[in-house]
Amino acid sequence: FGDRSLSQGLSVLVGLGLCATMLGLGCAVELGQLGQQLRRPVGLLLALLGQFVAMPLVAFLLALIFALDEVAAVAVLLCGCCPGGNLSNLMSVLVDGDMNLSIIMTASSTLLALFLMPLCLWIYSRHWINTAVVQLLPLGAVSLTLGSTLLPIGLGVLIRYRHPRAADLLVKISLWSLLVTLVVLFILTGTMLGPDLLAQIPASVYAIAVLMPLAGYALGYGLATVFKMPPHCRRTVSLETGCQNVQLCTAILKLTFSPEIIGSMYMFPLLYALFQSAEAGLFVLAYKMYGRDSYKQDTLGEEEDTDISYKKLKEEEVADTSYGTVTTEEHNSIQMEPTQTAL
């Protein structure tokens, strides 16, 4: 990171990637859905519990268990306190989840992060309060970076309201920009800075990068189970809880800490992104192989129930119109025989 031009280039790339991601997030939000969630704020509550109670606590406990130094602990805490990322929206589609719930949780956690992320950082960094990196923790700069994301989110909501087709296109572009940004960052940091940077990262940090997303997925599923949500919503909440906004974490580390302070820990959100994507991919693969059939059976069962109810309704309508039958007797006489009407 001593190369000034490289450092500035990474800062620009990270900033542009973050803006594109937040713009796509805003384009995915519909005002009607937002109003419904405010009237029944289950998604808002789940985002609050998952992103700002469960994940910061997981990050804090892992940092203590693996006895991380103050720099590594701050990087892990920062990632754990971040809101949900756009990757969860894509993964929710692949596991037949509730897309509306996914988008609302991502948007809600991003807005809540403006206030709760600095608060969580301040609370959980007390254990390392006597270290220089924590005493210099720029909570004001973190809040400023979070506040700067509100403009592209608001612009995205406006585009969705006025130009829905353009919003759909921008959502797709933002997802691709997420992938491209992460790949470019890996190439730049891995190639230009050399393998020595990865070698400087302790094995315990790699272990946390593996365990932390898994814990988030498990806690999210358990949280949705406690709320007695249907299976497709449980899968959605699970992915929302484990998938963090690594672009935001990378931007905060790059824009608010000097390279001399953060050092190789700049790579932690990129490692987290790698493992959260791989584990989410395994989640999707397992669902496609074993869970898809049960989802189809549930859907088919609902359709059959609807069809049976329709048939019963038609039978009742036919029965209601049957007031009697006409019979003929001898001597060419005609007699009406009443029949019992089904009610």
Side-chain angles (χ1 to χ4, degrees):
F1 290 99
D3 189 339
R4 185 175 181 82
S5 60
L6 173 60
S7 180
Q8 291 177 346
L10 288 175
S11 298
V12 171
L13 178 63
V14 167
L16 291 176
L18 180 61
C19 287
T21 301
M22 294 299 101
L23 179 64
L25 175 59
C27 288
V29 176
E30 295 185 4
L31 295 178
Q33 296 175 357
L34 190 60
Q36 293 177 2
Q37 288 296 324
L38 290 177
R39 288 191 293 270
R40 189 173 178 270
V42 177
L44 182 65
L45 180 59
L46 289 172
L48 173 65
L49 294 176
Q51 298 297 339
F52 301 109
V53 176
M55 289 306 291
L57 183 59
V58 167
F60 175 72
L61 292 177
L62 287 174
L64 288 181
I65 292 171
F66 286 92
L68 297 183
D69 60 60
E70 63 274 12
V71 177
V74 166
V76 171
L77 284 175
L78 190 60
C79 190
C81 295
C82 276
N86 287 36
L87 177 66
S88 59
N89 305 143
L90 176 62
M91 293 299 177
S92 294
V93 174
L94 297 178
V95 297
D96 298 315
D98 189 333
M99 192 60 186
N100 290 335
L101 177 62
S102 177
I103 293 172
I104 289 299
M105 285 188 67
T106 304
S108 300
S109 64
T110 303
L111 295 176
L112 288 171
L114 184 62
F115 307 102
L116 294 181
M117 187 176 175
L119 178 62
C120 289
L121 282 173
W122 182 82
I123 292 173
Y124 287 109
S125 64
R126 297 299 91 190
H127 182 76
W128 299 272
I129 189 60
N130 293 324
T131 61
V133 68
V134 172
Q135 290 176 354
L136 296 174
L137 187 63
L139 295 179
V142 171
S143 300
L144 183 61
T145 305
L146 288 168
S148 65
T149 63
L150 296 180
L151 181 59
I153 291 175
L155 180 60
V157 173
L158 180 62
I159 293 174
R160 165 61 66 181
Y161 179 72
R162 293 185 176 273
H163 308 286
R165 291 186 177 180
D168 292 335
L169 179 61
L170 287 173
V171 169
K172 295 178 181 178
I173 292 175
S174 70
L175 290 175
W176 279 107
S177 71
L178 166 62
L179 298 177
V180 170
T181 301
L182 292 177
V183 170
V184 171
L185 284 174
F186 269 117
I187 293 174
L188 285 177
T189 53
T191 303
M192 301 180 70
L193 299 177
D196 292 339
L197 180 69
L198 295 176
Q200 294 175 9
I201 301 175
S204 57
V205 174
Y206 284 99
I208 290 176
V210 173
L211 294 174
M212 200 165 143
L214 282 176
Y217 296 142
L219 287 173
Y221 198 90
L223 186 63
T225 304
V226 170
F227 277 78
K228 298 181 180 180
M229 303 188 78
H232 70 290
C233 290
R234 294 178 191 177
R235 296 192 294 271
T236 302
V237 177
S238 173
L239 289 167
E240 280 293 326
T241 305
C243 290
Q244 298 296 87
N245 192 334
V246 291
Q247 310 97 292
L248 179 61
C249 184
T250 304
I252 292 174
L253 284 174
K254 189 71 186 69
L255 301 176
T256 60
F257 290 97
S258 65
E260 293 79 12
I261 293 178
I262 203 64
S264 61
M265 286 302 103
Y266 164 77
M267 289 293 295
F268 179 77
L270 302 181
L271 292 175
Y272 188 95
L274 176 64
F275 289 114
Q276 81 171 1
S277 301
E279 292 163 8
L282 292 175
F283 188 173
V284 172
L285 181 62
Y287 172 74
K288 296 292 185 183
M289 294 176 62
Y290 303 107
R292 193 72 179 267
D293 293 337
S294 61
Y295 175 77
K296 290 181 178 179
Q297 290 175 1
D298 292 340
T299 305
L300 182 61
E302 292 176 359
E303 292 177 353
E304 290 177 350
D305 291 342
T306 304
D307 191 41
I308 292 172
S309 300
Y310 177 74
K311 288 179 181 178
K312 286 183 178 180
L313 181 61
K314 295 298 291 183
E315 290 174 358
E316 290 177 359
E317 288 179 353
V318 172
D320 288 341
T321 57
S322 178
Y323 293 101
T325 57
V326 180
T327 59
T328 58
E329 296 181 354
E330 295 181 357
H331 307 295
N332 297 326
S333 62
I334 299 175
Q335 182 177 358
M336 295 290 293
E337 293 182 358
T339 59
Q340 187 175 3
T341 302
L343 296 177

